[in-house]
Amino acid sequence: ADITLDQSYTPPVHSPAALEPHASTVSLDGGKLTVRTSNQMVGTAGGTIATALGIDKGDVRVLAPFVGGGFGGKTAIGPEVILAAIAAERIGRPVKVALPRAQTAYLVHHRSATTQRIRIGADRQGRITAFAHEGVAAQNDDASFLEPIPFGSLPLYAGANRRFRTDLVRLDLPATGAVRAPGEAIGTFAVECAMDELAEQLGLDPIELRCINEPEVDPVNGKPFSARRLLDCYD
């Protein structure tokens, strides 16, 4: 390539710490649990609670009329909900629990810090000929989620020669998980920073560089886009 760029970016940990707390009230009536909670995945929450308590899923009713901010941090049932359910069973009275801010940072999953390397090759007119997005994300030994770092950058720009890779490092830290726009939020951040730096090297307007490299078809599979209005946004 006539012009090359090779840069690394290190977005930090993101914690989904909404103003509205992770809070639940659990009550037992006639052998059936009712869980009022701030949760984004009500459909799977009942099964999680039933499995933890060793009871039938039909004996658990989960209601989430007011979730508040979630940002992915309320997609799972946390240990505080299970403990509240156990307490409600033991004492036969409703139990309310709300995580304080400090415990939210520990008990609720967070977005992994990442190290991302962006390499771009282009001709002198700014047309990308090679594009690589490689990253490393973290997870503990008990969880399987891997931050999909290049998820947003895969279809973003044209380029015949492409490489995308994400590696995982295991750390003895609280679990990482899906936080608002998994992969896309941090992956496109790195790519767009790199595109701005490439534009400076080329002496091009950053928007012009992006327009030059707008793909005509999906660069991942070669299929036409059903809809794509990115150039309209630039205009």
Side-chain angles (χ1 to χ4, degrees):
D2 297 326
I3 304 294
T4 61
L5 180 136
D6 188 341
Q7 291 285 4
S8 293
Y9 306 89
T10 55
V13 165
H14 295 164
S15 293
L19 288 176
E20 299 82 5
H22 291 69
S24 302
T25 300
V26 184
S27 58
L28 183 66
D29 185 13
K32 295 184 180 297
L33 281 175
T34 298
V35 181
R36 293 175 171 84
T37 184
S38 51
N39 188 273
Q40 297 173 250
M41 305 288 285
V42 176
T44 58
T48 301
I49 297 168
T51 299
L53 298 181
I55 61 178
D56 188 82
K57 182 180 177 180
D59 291 335
V60 180
R61 185 185 185 201
V62 179
L63 304 173
F66 305 107
V67 177
F71 315 113
K74 295 176 179 176
T75 54
I77 289 294
E80 78 283 356
V81 183
I82 304 301
L83 292 174
I86 292 172
E89 283 189 324
R90 295 280 179 88
I91 67 176
R93 296 177 58 186
V95 174
K96 180 188 291 185
V97 61
L99 291 183
R101 183 71 68 182
Q103 291 182 9
T104 299
Y106 182 79
L107 291 176
V108 179
H109 68 246
H110 59 277
R111 191 200 307 275
S112 169
T114 61
T115 298
Q116 301 177 50
R117 183 186 183 190
I118 307 294
R119 290 178 290 165
I120 306 175
D123 62 25
R124 297 190 183 279
Q125 288 69 49
R127 193 166 301 279
I128 292 174
T129 57
F131 189 97
H133 187 180
E134 299 161 295
V136 180
Q139 184 56 280
N140 66 19
D141 287 332
D142 299 321
S144 59
F145 178 84
L146 173 63
E147 183 76 24
I149 295 172
F151 185 66
S153 58
L154 283 165
L156 203 50
Y157 297 113
N161 303 289
R162 300 158 61 79
R163 176 181 172 85
F164 297 88
R165 178 186 175 96
T166 301
D167 290 314
L168 176 67
V169 60
R170 294 289 183 177
L171 299 177
D172 187 17
L173 292 172
T176 64
V179 178
R180 179 62 61 86
E184 294 170 313
I186 55 171
T188 54
F189 163 78
V191 169
E192 295 304 318
C193 286
M195 288 292 283
D196 285 347
E197 293 181 53
L198 179 63
E200 185 174 358
Q201 280 187 238
L202 289 162
L204 290 175
D205 179 88
I207 295 297
E208 182 183 358
L209 176 63
R210 287 163 170 82
C211 292
I212 290 171
N213 292 286
E214 172 70 4
E216 296 181 359
V217 296
D218 189 326
V220 177
N221 54 34
K223 295 181 179 180
F225 294 108
S226 58
R228 187 173 170 101
R229 306 294 298 276
L230 191 55
L231 294 184
D232 292 340
C233 294
Y234 293 152
D235 292 339

